[in-house]
């Protein structure tokens, strides 16, 4: 069984993106999630931080890897926890330009597609497993409207509509900045060390492989 783990290239003037640093640390990792099952092998792929091109790269990776599970990872500056995303929405609305200089405003990710898709990852079970392992985590109810949500929405639309992707399980996880990024604005931004982020992704992959439904416990937010 194959697992596709994507991370983004740096954007917004950064020289590093924790999502790619953590994903690439897991390239080739064999997750022994059940003793009787063959190990699941992780394939890490880097995604351009650009509307449209991100989905082309996702398609190429899915065609090549033929994964049963896809976890797309992105950087969320300002967040202090690993946050599995609940929902992708059909809107591109850039606060900044992407790496190709494009800034779509209030455009659908995919014309004619539904307003939103839910993640098919066990987001509550992931949060529980992460917390139990000492990694800070919470469910997030918004992946924003930039390239991360764009990729997440495109992934879920492919799972819903494309023969090559039907039956795949997939979703999106945002992770905090690395300490080296937060160190440039002292006192202003939370961060998570690369080892903790990488361990968090191991736990997220393992949980997604082991848990077929999801836990029913509070992960809500007031806003
Ligand atoms: N984070 C951005 C895009 C790429 C990334 O890592 C986002 O949250 O949309």
């Amino acid at each position: 069984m194959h697992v596709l783990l994507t991370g983004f290239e740096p954007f917004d003037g950064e020289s590093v993106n924790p999502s790619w640093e953590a994903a690439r640390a897991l390239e080739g990792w064999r997750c022994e999630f059940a003793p009787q099952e063959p190990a699941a092998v992780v394939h890490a792929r880097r995604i351009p931080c650009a509307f449209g091109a991100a989905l082309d790269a996702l398609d190429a990776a899915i065609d090549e890897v033929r994964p049963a599970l896809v976890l797309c990872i992105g950087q969320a500056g300002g967040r202090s926890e690993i946050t599995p995303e609940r929902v992708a929405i059909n809107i591109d609305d850039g606060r900044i330009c992407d790496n190709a200089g494009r800034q779509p405003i209030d455009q659908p990710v995919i014309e004619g597609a539904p307003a939103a898709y839910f993640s098919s990852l066990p987001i509550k079970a992931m949060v529980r497993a992460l917390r139990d392992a000492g990694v800070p985590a919470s469910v997030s109810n918004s992946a924003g409207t930039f390239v991360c949500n764009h990729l997440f929405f495109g992934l879920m639309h492919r799972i819903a509509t494309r023969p090559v992707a039907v039956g795949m399980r997939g979703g999106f996880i945002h992770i905090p900045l690395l300490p080296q990024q937060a160190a440039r604005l002292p006192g202003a931004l939370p961060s998570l060390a690369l080892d903790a982020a990488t361990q968090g992704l191991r736990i997220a992959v393992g949980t997604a492989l082991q848990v077929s439904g999801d836990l029913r416990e509070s992960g809500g937010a007031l806003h």
Side-chain angles (χ1 to χ4, degrees), residues 79 83-89 116-124 126-127 138-144 149 152-153 156 170-174 214-222:
R79 288 198 191 164
T83 47
E85 297 290 349
R86 192 193 297 264
V87 60
I89 61 175
Y117 288 108
F118 288 119
S119 173
S120 54
L121 301 177
I123 54 172
K124 297 284 181 75
M126 286 176 165
V127 166
S138 286
V139 167
S140 163
N141 295 303
S142 173
N149 173 75
F152 182 18
F153 187 90
M156 299 319 294
F172 198 95
I173 300 177
H174 266 118
D214 199 359
L215 287 181
R216 186 170 170 80
E217 64 180 30
S218 171
L222 291 182

Side-chain angles (χ1 to χ4, degrees), residues 8 11 17 19 49 74-75 146-149 174:
F8 276 101
F11 68 106
N17 188 319
S19 65
C49 186
Q75 158 186 320
F146 193 49
V147 184
C148 286
N149 173 75
H174 266 118

Side-chain angles (χ1 to χ4, degrees), residues 27-102:
E27 165 65 24
W29 179 53
R30 301 173 71 81
C31 178
E32 315 270 351
F33 65 100
Q36 298 83 1
E37 305 279 341
V41 183
V42 169
H43 305 261
R45 293 291 181 274
R46 190 177 192 247
I47 302 288
C49 186
F51 294 99
L55 290 176
D56 295 341
L58 177 70
D59 285 336
I62 289 173
D63 283 346
E64 185 199 337
V65 172
R66 294 299 175 110
L69 173 68
V70 182
L71 267 74
C72 296
I73 317 300
Q75 158 186 320
R79 288 198 191 164
S80 58
E81 300 180 301
I82 292 187
T83 47
E85 297 290 349
R86 192 193 297 264
V87 60
I89 61 175
N90 193 10
I91 277 289
D92 289 334
D93 187 8
R95 182 179 58 78
I96 56 173
C97 287
D98 69 10
N99 284 359
R102 289 189 56 234

